[in-house]
Amino acid sequence: MELSQQNIMYLPGVGPKKAEVLKKEIEVVSWEDMLYYFPYKYIDRSKIFKIREIDGEMPYIQLKGKIRNYEFLGEGSGRRLTATFYDDTGSIELVWFRMLKQIPDLYKVGTEYILFGKPTVFGHRLNVAHPELETENKFYEGEVGVQGQYNTTERMKNAFLHSRALQKIITQILGNLKTPLPETLNPDIIEKSHVIPLDDAIRNIHFPKSPDMLRKAEYRLKLEELFYLQLNILRVTKYREKRLGGFLFTKVGDYFNNFYHLNLPFALTNAQKKVVREIRQDTNSGRQMNRLLQGDVGSGKTLVALLSVLLALDNGFQGAIMAPTEILATQHYETITGLLAGLGIETALLTGSTKKKERAKILPKLKNGEIHLLIGTHALLEDTVEFQNLGLVVVDEQHRFGVAQRAKLWKKNNVPPHILVMTATPIPRTLAMTVYGDLDVSVIDELPPGRKPVKTIHYYDKKRGNLYASVRKQLQAGRQVYIVYPLIEESEKMDLKNLQEGFESTQAVFPEYKVCMVHGKMKPAEKDAEMQKFVSGETQIMVATTVIEVGVNVPNASVMIIENAERFGLAQLHQLRGRVGRGADQSFCILLTRYELSENTRRRLAILTETNDGFLIAEEDLKLRGPGDIDGTQQSGIAFNLKIANLSHDGQILNLARDLAQEVLDDDPMLEKPQNALLKQQLGKLNTGHQMGWFMIS
Ligand code: ADP
Ligand code: MG
């Protein structure tokens, strides 16, 4: 039977309960899934430390010793079990927060154990939380040397599915195999890339025979992963080139020229000019444009969008601009109608809260072409929204839009409209190439003249007093201030309470100023009303969640205070910072945190205080968090689960993978030749259940 058809549930020691947990937590169902669940790191299990030797900076380590006694401590959610673990050089504390009752039966006082865990400093003592303990006999059954460690979740640990348990399941599967694992790459690809056979790779990734074999196994599996990713993307691109024509915007007409000469309030920056030229080339090529426009916050993307729309209009097409939030859509609508004043362009706004009556007016006009430009939110994607001849769609702040939504846009016409996706979250080149292999990328790498870079300062909570004094000076000078609180879904209720308290304490600290508040749970109308108070200057301080993250433009605001900055990602902090520094005044971004921070968080905050360069920040973000995590890919729902390759380190393998994929497709664009049957089959397998890949073809 095929590996993907064999259920792990029937392996001895697994059973339905554990199988359920594995499925829910790590999407492992079949033998194949399990074999492709790779260790996230390796440790040398042959080394056993003495307690005297260890400190809180060490990674996972092994000790050998005995448990002296158990003690239950604390109440309610603080309840825990501790034990003293000792060897002939000293003792260390063990601590458990779950399964307190079972532990003393499981691990007996006085028995010698090999302990595996990560020591940390708590108070002034070293302890190990939830250690793995094995008796020596059980442990050494032929497993010494370098060992893989598998990621496990809380729920897995509670079901006794810790790293070692996964290892045992994998051992069983490998032991059950009667024949080597079937190859997943063509022989010529294996030859050209000098990789080891799949069977060797899988065995060594789990149980390395030597460090050298481990390296070879990693290389093989990374190459394979990236090869199929590239094959997928390039194949879609080829299809697009072959099948899909594009509207021609050959003319630069009155709308564009009149706007440019009469209404444009300032000169374009060189970067803006360059991008407009690129867009003109695309829309003159007879191919459908699919372009990603990256430009840091405040770089003037809106204007580029508007100029592109005018090109569409000049050639008899309609345009649409889509934004991720109502606030942003409304703001675009207002800015753009202002900029277009007197040019005779019919513009409408359509969002979730557009009244029925208003909708009923807009929709027919859209269909008969009376409306030239529609601005809105997701509402724009609904099937009832029909255009006469939609020529260009601008999607602002791409990271909130999913791939599936992008695909919907394509269906608004027989010939798909040109698409311009704008983002302020800069995606590093390696990532852009991998995720958006089918997109061309433009960059605005220059801010409009006269901007002062925002000064970013990290404050500890304790120094709040000093901070407030400086903020008051800004308020006295007539500036406005944002205060942002994190809002994370899991603990939404508690966070809203934090926000409310923040609102009240802000009022108490600045009684002479007016404070308003917005958060995502408000009704859109209510939110807009509060927002409007801040925009008009009626209130001087805005307390908010990250709903203000994208696009909001209040040039008079000069201070952005971010509470619990440690809870935000780098890209998000950079976005928030972009809300200030939009006027001529020196602006400030204040990152407030508690004193104790992890090394990683400290590094993150330091990067922000050191640079304003969004691309640099994105690169660092990629390094610190790993690409699966990067803002924008997860949120946009791109099925992009790299199991082993790491885009920030494996650029070279990626290039090779891309070349190999390109060669295959040059010879056989639709993978129809018999020698490519394996590739086609593998690709199909990878695409099932994922959003990526064929969405554009289907
Ligand atoms: P973003 O790229 O973040 O969407 P916007 O398009 O909102 O940036 O532009 C930010 C601000 O810069 C706006 O107030 C806009 O009017 C202004 N702006 C845009 N282009 C220029 C320019 N070439 N010169 C001066 N100001 C500009
Ligand atoms: Mg913008």
Side-chain angles (χ1 to χ4, degrees):
M1 217 197 297
E2 266 215 55
L3 282 173
S4 58
Q5 305 296 317
Q6 301 261 34
N7 198 315
I8 45 162
M9 176 157 71
Y10 306 111
L11 288 169
V14 182
K17 268 200 190 132
K18 284 184 180 171
E20 184 63 24
V21 173
L22 287 170
K23 182 178 168 188
K24 278 233 170 80
E25 297 295 296
I26 55 173
E27 292 173 24
V28 166
V29 178
S30 68
W31 287 16
E32 183 176 40
D33 298 335
M34 193 73 247
L35 290 182
Y36 276 84
Y37 192 71
F38 303 139
Y40 72 102
K41 66 169 183 191
Y42 296 84
I43 51 145
D44 188 351
R45 280 262 185 177
S46 58
K47 168 93 183 149
I48 291 180
F49 285 87
K50 292 288 184 194
I51 290 178
R52 195 187 35 189
E53 295 175 296
I54 61 176
D55 60 48
E57 300 294 303
M58 285 177 154
Y60 283 80
I61 50 134
Q62 288 183 115
L63 300 169
K64 185 157 133 184
K66 296 175 182 173
I67 289 172
R68 183 175 291 139
N69 60 323
Y70 282 105
E71 194 178 356
F72 286 94
L73 296 171
E75 290 296 328
S77 63
R79 190 160 164 79
R80 60 197 187 275
L81 172 68
T82 63
T84 309
F85 185 84
Y86 66 97
D87 65 11
D88 52 8
T89 67
S91 71
I92 185 172
E93 189 175 77
L94 310 183
V95 55
W96 291 266
F97 300 98
R98 289 173 308 278
M99 301 195 302
L100 308 189
K101 290 221 187 77
Q102 295 101 305
I103 295 295
D105 291 333
L106 215 54
Y107 306 126
K108 303 269 182 327
V109 169
T111 304
E112 187 161 76
Y113 290 107
I114 304 285
L115 174 151
F116 175 71
K118 170 153 180 37
T120 47
V121 181
F122 189 79
H124 290 289
R125 281 205 67 183
L126 275 171
N127 75 21
V128 181
H130 287 253
E132 285 175 33
L133 296 162
E134 299 274 6
T135 57
E136 189 157 9
N137 284 342
K138 219 166 131 196
F139 184 75
Y140 275 117
E141 280 167 47
E143 310 166 14
V144 280
V146 183
Q147 272 199 31
Q149 287 302 305
Y150 299 84
N151 263 321
T152 57
T153 65
E154 292 298 309
R155 280 195 61 198
M156 286 167 73
K157 287 189 188 112
N158 288 347
F160 297 94
L161 286 164
H162 40 72
S163 181
R164 275 194 51 72
L166 298 185
Q167 210 169 36
K168 280 179 196 160
I169 298 174
I170 292 165
T171 308
Q172 287 194 56
I173 295 174
L174 289 174
N176 282 338
L177 298 179
K178 304 271 176 330
T179 53
L181 288 162
E183 240 336 304
T184 45
L185 288 172
N186 280 353
D188 65 317
I189 293 174
I190 293 178
E191 198 182 313
K192 277 186 213 153
S193 57
H194 308 289
V195 294
I196 60 174
L198 181 70
D199 189 76
D200 287 344
I202 291 286
R203 285 174 194 277
N204 277 281
I205 203 77
H206 294 292
F207 303 104
K209 287 208 181 78
S210 66
D212 183 50
M213 277 311 285
L214 175 57
R215 264 198 308 280
K216 286 185 172 141
E218 283 176 338
Y219 179 72
R220 147 88 210 205
L221 295 166
K222 284 177 178 186
L223 181 90
E224 172 167 349
E225 183 167 49
L226 294 171
F227 171 77
Y228 279 107
L229 192 71
Q230 292 303 313
L231 192 66
N232 203 4
I233 287 168
L234 292 174
R235 200 185 148 180
V236 173
T237 311
K238 280 231 179 295
Y239 176 87
R240 252 183 0 105
E241 283 170 4
K242 219 170 102 184
R243 296 280 180 86
L244 301 175
F247 294 129
L248 282 170
F249 298 173
T250 44
K251 206 163 73 182
V252 180
D254 287 347
Y255 287 135
F256 190 98
N257 283 325
N258 286 342
F259 173 75
Y260 201 87
H261 297 297
L262 304 176
N263 286 26
L264 187 62
F266 28 62
L268 293 182
T269 64
N270 286 329
Q272 284 169 320
K273 283 186 195 158
K274 178 193 71 187
V275 175
V276 171
R277 271 200 300 275
E278 285 166 350
I279 291 168
R280 283 218 57 201
Q281 263 167 22
D282 281 3
T283 52
N284 260 311
S285 71
R287 273 204 306 137
Q288 186 227 12
M289 174 175 78
N290 210 17
R291 187 168 279 280
L292 179 69
L293 170 56
Q294 302 190 344
D296 216 342
V297 283
S299 61
K301 294 186 291 296
T302 317
L303 205 55
V304 171
L306 184 57
L307 289 167
S308 318
V309 167
L310 294 177
L311 278 175
L313 267 49
D314 273 339
N315 289 276
F317 294 96
Q318 292 167 297
I321 299 179
M322 194 157 69
T325 64
E326 294 222 22
I327 291 179
L328 196 54
T330 310
Q331 207 170 60
H332 273 327
Y333 179 73
E334 278 159 11
T335 312
I336 286 171
T337 45
L339 284 167
L340 293 179
L343 296 181
I345 294 172
E346 203 56 47
T347 307
L349 175 69
L350 185 73
T351 72
S353 59
T354 304
K355 297 258 163 14
K356 259 206 180 132
K357 241 171 86 184
E358 181 65 18
R359 265 181 89 91
K361 266 196 237 157
I362 292 174
L363 295 182
K365 283 194 194 169
L366 207 55
K367 200 161 178 194
N368 71 20
E370 266 178 70
I371 291 175
H372 303 116
L373 169 59
L374 184 65
I375 299 172
T377 55
H378 289 82
L380 235 143
L381 294 172
E382 287 159 21
D383 290 338
T384 51
V385 181
E386 290 177 74
F387 292 82
Q388 187 191 45
N389 57 353
L390 181 61
L392 170 78
V393 180
V394 179
V395 179
D396 195 11
E397 305 298 352
Q398 142 278 341
H399 62 288
R400 300 291 176 90
F401 277 106
V403 164
Q405 285 150 337
R406 191 141 67 88
K408 262 194 166 179
L409 282 173
W410 294 50
K411 296 193 175 150
K412 291 260 165 206
N413 271 339
N414 288 331
V415 179
H418 294 301
I419 295 185
L420 179 66
V421 179
M422 305 197 294
T423 177
T425 312
I427 299 168
R429 239 201 84 69
T430 35
L431 193 60
M433 176 172 141
T434 309
V435 186
Y436 297 116
D438 66 309
L439 282 182
D440 297 307
V441 179
S442 288
V443 179
I444 303 187
D445 50 6
E446 177 188 6
L447 291 181
R451 299 276 172 81
K452 290 198 186 75
V454 179
K455 277 201 182 120
T456 304
I457 307 166
H458 177 194
Y459 266 91
Y460 294 118
D461 278 332
K462 284 182 215 150
K463 294 272 175 73
R464 223 170 249 281
N466 301 358
L467 170 63
Y468 288 149
S470 327
V471 170
R472 178 165 274 111
K473 282 202 192 115
Q474 288 287 313
L475 288 163
Q476 281 163 354
R479 304 283 96 81
Q480 287 165 284
V481 175
Y482 294 102
I483 306 180
V484 175
Y485 286 80
L487 185 65
I488 293 175
E489 292 213 23
E490 285 163 56
S491 52
E492 224 170 80
K493 272 207 186 108
M494 214 179 81
D495 287 331
L496 271 184
K497 197 172 140 240
N498 278 349
L499 187 72
Q500 182 65 35
E501 280 170 10
F503 176 65
E504 283 161 20
S505 71
T506 304
Q507 281 179 322
V509 176
F510 300 106
E512 68 274 43
Y513 295 102
K514 292 216 181 70
V515 187
C516 60
M517 174 163 76
V518 288
H519 57 77
K521 293 272 124 176
M522 284 173 154
K523 294 216 175 69
E526 205 183 339
K527 201 160 64 186
D528 284 352
E530 286 292 292
M531 203 56 227
Q532 201 48 46
K533 284 186 202 161
F534 191 68
V535 174
S536 68
E538 186 187 330
T539 62
Q540 293 79 40
I541 304 174
M542 150 101 59
V543 172
T545 60
T546 51
V547 293
I548 63 152
E549 183 185 325
V550 278
V552 173
N553 191 23
V554 181
N556 188 49
S558 66
V559 182
M560 164 64 65
I561 300 175
I562 304 171
E563 296 273 353
N564 296 113
E566 71 273 16
R567 281 176 62 184
F568 294 88
L570 254 184
Q572 210 178 13
L573 290 169
H574 180 63
Q575 280 279 314
L576 285 168
R577 175 166 64 180
R579 298 308 105 214
V580 294
R582 310 193 136 229
D585 307 300
Q586 176 64 57
S587 295
F588 303 89
C589 174
I590 311 296
L591 308 171
L592 271 171
T593 71
R594 53 173 199 262
Y595 187 71
E596 304 82 23
L597 295 173
S598 73
E599 203 35 53
N600 191 295
T601 305
R602 240 172 242 295
R603 180 79 206 114
R604 235 176 32 224
L605 299 176
I607 289 162
L608 276 174
T609 56
E610 284 159 16
T611 183
N612 281 305
D613 181 336
F615 282 86
L616 200 74
I617 290 170
E619 296 282 355
E620 290 295 328
D621 202 27
L622 190 62
K623 273 190 218 148
L624 285 172
R625 308 207 299 165
D629 229 17
I630 202 165
D631 261 21
T633 51
Q634 261 188 355
Q635 290 175 31
S636 62
I638 297 164
F640 186 60
N641 252 331
L642 288 180
K643 285 188 159 68
I644 185 162
N646 177 331
L647 293 175
S648 52
H649 298 131
D650 298 330
Q652 263 179 332
I653 308 180
L654 179 66
N655 287 337
L656 174 60
R658 195 176 171 88
D659 290 347
L660 290 169
Q662 188 70 58
E663 260 175 63
V664 171
L665 291 174
D666 283 346
D667 174 54
D668 182 13
M670 289 286 124
L671 299 180
E672 286 155 348
K673 296 192 176 171
Q675 69 265 33
N676 291 326
L678 176 64
L679 303 186
K680 191 168 183 172
Q681 180 201 332
Q682 282 297 112
L683 210 52
K685 222 157 126 183
L686 293 175
N687 277 320
T688 47
H690 294 255
Q691 296 111 304
M692 198 163 152
W694 301 105
F695 65 92
M696 291 183 185
I697 290 183
S698 59

